[in-house]
Amino acid sequence: MYRFDNHIAAYDESRRYNRKGEIAAFPPYVTFELGNSCNFSCIMCRKTYIKEKKEELDFSVFKKCVDEISNYGSLVRFIGYCEPLLYSKIKDAIRYVKKKGLRLHITTNGSLLNREMINAILENEVDSVIFSFQGFTQEEDCFMRNISCKTYSNVVNKIKLLHKSRKSEKPYITISTTITSRDNPEYETEFIKRHMCYADQVQVTGATHFAFIEDESGIRDIEKKLGLNKPRKLKNVKCFLTNYEMKIAENGNVYMCCGSFTDELNIGNIEKNTLFNMWHSEKAMKIRETLAFGDLDKFKNCRACQIRYDYDKIGNTIMNTMKGKNKKKKMELYAEER
């Protein structure tokens, strides 16, 4: 059905469905949240404030999902509220996706990257890897993610090693960060220049979001405690992400939208139904209709979503990403510098 020429084509395809009534026959990209654990404790992440029993996706269930996805040729993504490289079968998972002829993207904090992992990425020709950072400086990254300067330096060195070890243009390496009002805008160009030496793209996707923390954990005024400006809540927001996004969680539950974490957006379980049937189910259609009419308050997952907030001088993170705004801006800057 799809069989994209590259990973970017999957996102280009998804933009066709970013309007009311335009629903993909099958998601152009499918996100796997392979586990529910992370080795970082980021201040801005909801995972830091909740306690869960460690769980990961059964590999046989994973293969069942990939087998069905291969019928449609969608991009597969390993991202979510977890660190995908913690998955005990991560190398097997990479091999299986690529064996099926699918495009594969991984988003990681990079701390678990080692020579063995690099070899798995290169030998299987993983299409894209995003390394997530926070802020423009090492100091801000370490503070917001509760890591040491040594860990930060190790991550940078591992990314450099991956870049140096490439024999082709794969994987496409992206350094990505979000920022807050704590970050000095004057450091943006320096951040891009510094990381572009070992990346194909450096992007500042938008603002670091804290609303999920207050909404779910009950911790109040976290932005005030960090000396941050609160964002402006937008009115009359309509969302069409559920027209083209699907996430498979570590327990086999299937959700609409890759940022889902509540049962309200759960449309079934892969062990009881097919991805295709769940995608076209009555519940899925009702969710799409509700969000297309702007009734985001109906779902806990959506009432605190980034799409509803606008940050001074930064804008709306999701809108920035969907419009490809940051990619164009950063790559033009890099071209000028070169």
Side-chain angles (χ1 to χ4, degrees), residues 118 150 152-162 198:
I118 288 174
K150 181 179 180 181
Y152 180 94
S153 297
N154 284 340
V155 168
V156 170
N157 289 334
K158 290 172 181 178
I159 300 172
K160 289 179 178 178
L161 179 59
L162 172 63
Y198 40 86

Side-chain angles (χ1 to χ4, degrees), residues 7 172 188 218 242:
H7 68 284
Y172 188 87
E188 181 176 10
T242 53

Side-chain angles (χ1 to χ4, degrees), residues 44-307:
M44 63 285 188
C45 182
R46 54 176 290 274
K47 281 287 186 179
T48 301
Y49 304 91
I50 58 176
K51 293 182 178 180
E52 295 179 300
K53 182 180 178 181
K54 187 176 180 180
E55 189 174 2
E56 66 174 28
L57 187 63
D58 183 272
F59 192 59
S60 63
V61 175
F62 170 81
K63 290 194 292 183
K64 178 183 178 181
C65 293
V66 174
D67 287 346
E68 183 176 352
I69 293 168
S70 68
N71 294 329
Y72 306 99
S74 306
L75 167 71
V76 171
R77 310 195 307 172
F78 297 163
I79 63 173
Y81 296 109
C82 66
E83 170 48 52
L85 300 192
L86 281 171
Y87 186 49
S88 63
K89 297 283 188 179
I90 184 61
K91 291 186 284 295
D92 293 326
I94 289 172
R95 280 192 289 268
Y96 198 77
V97 171
K98 297 307 296 181
K99 180 182 177 181
K100 288 291 182 176
L102 298 171
R103 301 291 176 185
L104 176 61
H105 164 80
I106 301 172
T107 294
T108 173
N109 61 38
S111 63
L112 300 176
L113 198 66
N114 54 31
R115 172 54 74 178
E116 187 179 359
M117 193 67 236
I118 288 174
N119 288 341
I121 289 171
L122 296 178
E123 290 170 4
N124 292 283
E125 295 189 324
V126 171
D127 297 272
S128 168
V129 180
I130 288 181
F131 293 97
S132 56
F133 282 70
Q134 175 58 44
F136 290 141
T137 65
Q138 173 179 309
E139 291 74 22
E140 186 67 5
D141 189 280
C142 292
F143 171 74
M144 294 293 282
R145 304 211 286 175
N146 284 308
I147 61 172
S148 66
C149 292
K150 181 179 180 181
T151 297
Y152 180 94
S153 297
N154 284 340
V155 168
V156 170
N157 289 334
K158 290 172 181 178
I159 300 172
K160 289 179 178 178
L161 179 59
L162 172 63
H163 183 264
K164 182 180 179 181
S165 301
R166 290 191 310 183
K167 304 298 182 183
S168 67
E169 295 181 350
K170 291 184 180 181
Y172 188 87
I173 299 174
T174 299
I175 304 292
S176 181
T177 191
T178 59
I179 58 175
T180 70
S181 53
R182 290 167 53 98
D183 292 286
N184 187 336
E186 294 180 2
Y187 294 156
E188 181 176 10
T189 300
E190 180 184 339
F191 175 84
I192 295 169
K193 283 183 178 180
R194 181 169 67 251
H195 291 298
M196 254 311 194
C197 297
Y198 40 86
D200 299 298
Q201 177 183 347
V202 177
Q203 60 182 15
V204 183
T205 57
T208 308
H209 193 61
F210 292 88
F212 282 135
I213 297 172
E214 292 194 2
D215 195 65
E216 187 176 10
S217 70
I219 297 175
R220 301 300 174 192
D221 300 320
I222 187 168
E223 290 163 316
K224 183 178 180 180
K225 293 172 183 176
L226 293 171
L228 303 174
N229 300 324
K230 273 192 171 292
R232 178 172 62 92
K233 197 165 188 177
L234 302 173
K235 297 180 180 178
N236 303 318
V237 175
K238 298 177 181 180
C239 178
F240 307 107
L241 292 173
T242 53
N243 288 356
Y244 55 86
E245 283 198 355
M246 173 187 283
K247 182 184 83 169
I248 302 164
E250 71 282 349
N251 55 8
N253 282 343
V254 178
Y255 297 85
M256 307 182 75
C257 177
C258 65
S260 303
F261 57 85
T262 66
D263 288 338
E264 297 164 316
L265 299 184
N266 170 230
I267 53 174
N269 189 284
I270 188 57
E271 297 194 72
K272 298 179 180 179
N273 208 339
T274 66
L275 298 176
F276 183 87
N277 286 344
M278 285 183 275
W279 181 249
H280 292 281
S281 66
E282 182 178 352
K283 182 175 182 180
M285 297 305 292
K286 286 182 177 179
I287 290 172
R288 292 186 186 106
E289 184 177 347
T290 299
L291 297 179
F293 278 101
D295 193 8
L296 276 66
D297 281 329
K298 186 170 183 178
F299 305 124
K300 177 181 179 180
N301 210 121
C302 304
R303 67 175 180 237
C305 178
Q306 293 98 315
I307 202 171

Side-chain angles (χ1 to χ4, degrees), residues 26-44:
F26 192 82
Y29 58 86
V30 178
T31 297
F32 281 90
E33 201 165 69
L34 297 170
N36 61 355
S37 302
C38 186
N39 58 332
F40 281 14
S41 299
C42 301
I43 293 175
M44 63 285 188

